Amino acid sequence: MGAKEESVELKAQGNKYFAGHEWLNAIDYYTKAIDLYDQDPLYYCNRAQANIKLEQYGYAIADAKKAIELDPKCVKAYYRRACANTAILQSREALKDFKTVVRLEPKNQDAKLKLAECEKIAKKIEFMRAIEVDDEPSAFEGLDIDSMAVDKSYDGANLGKEMTQEFVDDMITRFKNGKKLHRKYVYQIIAAVRKIVYDEPTMVEMEVQEGHKLTVCGDTHGQFFDLMELFRLNGFPTESHYYLFNGDFVDRGSWSTEIALLLYAYKWLHPSAFFLNRGNHETDDMNRVYGFEGECKAKYSEKVFKLFSESFSALPLATLIGKKYFTLHGGLFSDDKTTLDDVRKLNRHQQRQPGQQGLMMEMLWTDPQTVPGRGPSKRGVGLQFGPDVTKRFCENNGLEAVIRSHEVRMEGYEVEHDGRCITVFSAPKYCDSTENKGAYINIGPDYKLDFHKFDAVPHPDIKPMAYAQNSLMSMM
């Protein structure tokens, strides 16, 4: 059998893994096929689609570009590059490719619809960025919560001036049954937590006391019923059982408001024992595209989204656990000179959104890589850092390891960079399409890391991205 024939078999094996939602194995076999025969554009197209499933949009764009170089009329390649650029909010680049698809296949109605949707997204993003101003009035300004009345027909627990365990328990029951909170209580919760987190430092520093434990959770992405499973297995938050949620509470999953409100309620109930780090999905641009804005509007109101948006921008960006574990959503920095003191000094309140560069962007967006040094981001946003970068950062700052989230891991977590970089991801069967486990890490007073995995549980028949305002995102 020649190399070309063998590559066809490898591609077929990759297709089987892709059909089984085993994206990493699919990429492995597509790569083997390309190594044997690198002149078939479909090999690159297939690998691009698997990279899209893993949110490796930078890699997907590179694969699609190679396919187009091999075949300038490869419609699939333009289509997939457009989807990848849409995912990283590069709508203008996506528009060019959707227009090319329509030109090459003028009868492709699906492509025409995607082109129209992409045009809407591009206009909306440009409009929202154009009207953003630094001194925009607070969404909380003029919000008279005390004067709001709760309808007599409301059948849930009442909330006074302080959060109670009774209210949290009732909230969980309501959410499980598909019910909402009263508008007044939503406003109360967001307002109270915004004030609490605004006053916290950019890097919260905490210790695990004797007789206590801390659970570190990664992305939950609106998968409320899986969060309930995590709590069932590991215990609910208390004053002696701390929790740290490491960003990306919202978007993609269709119970993002439920998760955000519940985590906020726990933060209000246990302000010194419950911790929240901001993720790259606690940002306006992502929320507008990946569903959280649409969900807020559908379940509550646009006002609720604006209040959440302002509260997200107040969240801390990192937590230092026992002076040993630097915990943040994305990862490390473009400059080796960056230290924990630089994070401490970062005034996150001066810049509500992370932008395209700087410490905040890097803390929310970067990823580890296996090779030394730094490299371009597989996402198309931020950068990647190697084991040598992690080693220097830990040694320079007296750390044992960096704990981060931001990426699916098939076993729910991964320890890499010689044990110095730990990824934890807490959304099992991510987006109902990836066969991954979820995980969380328990840390006691001895600061040993105790990893736990868990499986997804059934949920009501509402698909991920149900509240995204366009069908483009549902393909990601």
Side-chain angles (χ1 to χ4, degrees), residues 91-102:
S91 304
R92 285 295 161 194
E93 294 301 315
L95 268 177
K96 295 175 188 175
D97 283 336
F98 278 127
K99 286 177 180 177
T100 302
V101 173
V102 171

Side-chain angles (χ1 to χ4, degrees), residues 34 38 40-49 63-64 66-67 70:
I34 289 168
D38 61 4
D40 191 328
L42 290 181
Y43 293 4
Y44 294 96
C45 278
N46 288 5
R47 192 169 69 177
Q49 187 64 7
D63 276 339
K66 180 63 177 179
L70 292 170

Side-chain angles (χ1 to χ4, degrees), residues 374-394:
R374 294 176 174 88
S377 171
K378 60 190 172 188
R379 298 173 185 272
V381 181
L383 56 93
Q384 294 182 182
F385 57 95
D388 56 328
V389 175
T390 306
K391 180 182 179 182
R392 288 193 295 270
F393 183 82
C394 288

Side-chain angles (χ1 to χ4, degrees), residues 264-281:
Y264 272 27
Y266 274 125
K267 179 62 180 176
W268 190 5
L269 184 63
H270 304 296
S272 301
F274 194 89
F275 306 94
L276 299 170
N277 285 343
R278 189 180 189 181
N280 67 302
H281 277 268

Side-chain angles (χ1 to χ4, degrees), residues 12-193:
Q13 187 63 41
N15 290 346
K16 287 181 181 177
Y17 280 119
F18 188 94
H21 298 176
E22 296 185 46
W23 320 123
L24 285 170
N25 285 332
I27 287 171
D28 184 41
Y29 275 87
Y30 294 144
T31 301
K32 289 176 180 176
I34 289 168
D35 289 343
L36 283 176
Y37 182 73
D38 61 4
Q39 296 301 302
D40 191 328
L42 290 181
Y43 293 4
Y44 294 96
C45 278
N46 288 5
R47 192 169 69 177
Q49 187 64 7
N51 275 314
I52 285 172
K53 292 293 187 181
L54 285 172
E55 300 180 17
Q56 297 179 165
Y57 302 118
Y59 287 174
I61 290 166
D63 276 339
K65 180 183 177 185
K66 180 63 177 179
I68 291 165
E69 289 172 359
L70 292 170
D71 178 6
K73 293 185 178 181
C74 184
V75 171
K76 281 186 177 180
Y78 289 108
Y79 194 89
R80 284 169 187 172
R81 189 167 68 178
C83 291
N85 269 313
T86 300
I88 58 173
L89 311 184
Q90 298 297 324
S91 304
R92 285 295 161 194
E93 294 301 315
L95 268 177
K96 295 175 188 175
D97 283 336
F98 278 127
K99 286 177 180 177
T100 302
V101 173
V102 171
R103 178 173 56 80
L104 292 172
E105 291 188 351
K107 294 183 180 180
N108 187 330
Q109 294 301 316
D110 179 66
K112 289 179 179 179
L113 287 172
K114 298 295 187 291
L115 173 59
E117 289 186 358
C118 190
E119 287 174 336
K120 289 180 185 176
I121 293 171
K123 287 176 182 176
K124 181 173 183 180
I125 289 173
E126 288 181 4
F127 173 74
M128 296 306 295
R129 287 175 177 169
I131 64 173
E132 283 177 359
V133 291
D134 292 336
D135 58 349
E136 183 179 352
S138 169
F140 294 91
E141 194 173 297
L143 188 65
D144 187 2
I145 299 174
D146 290 339
S147 68
M148 294 179 187
V150 177
D151 310 329
K152 290 182 179 179
S153 61
Y154 185 70
D155 60 352
N158 292 318
L159 179 61
K161 295 293 185 181
E162 298 294 333
M163 182 56 63
T164 66
Q165 186 64 55
E166 176 195 10
F167 189 88
V168 172
D169 293 342
D170 179 73
M171 175 191 294
I172 290 171
T173 301
R174 292 184 70 78
F175 290 165
K176 285 180 178 179
N177 292 329
K179 294 183 176 182
K180 297 181 291 186
L181 295 184
H182 191 276
R183 178 179 60 122
K184 175 175 182 174
Y185 298 152
V186 172
Y187 289 174
Q188 270 187 274
I189 292 167
I190 302 173
V193 173

Side-chain angles (χ1 to χ4, degrees), residues 294-315:
E295 184 179 336
C296 286
K297 290 178 178 178
K299 293 180 179 177
Y300 295 101
S301 66
E302 184 175 7
K303 180 72 170 179
V304 167
F305 172 67
K306 289 181 176 180
L307 295 174
F308 265 125
S309 168
E310 193 167 331
S311 72
F312 288 164
S313 70
L315 289 169

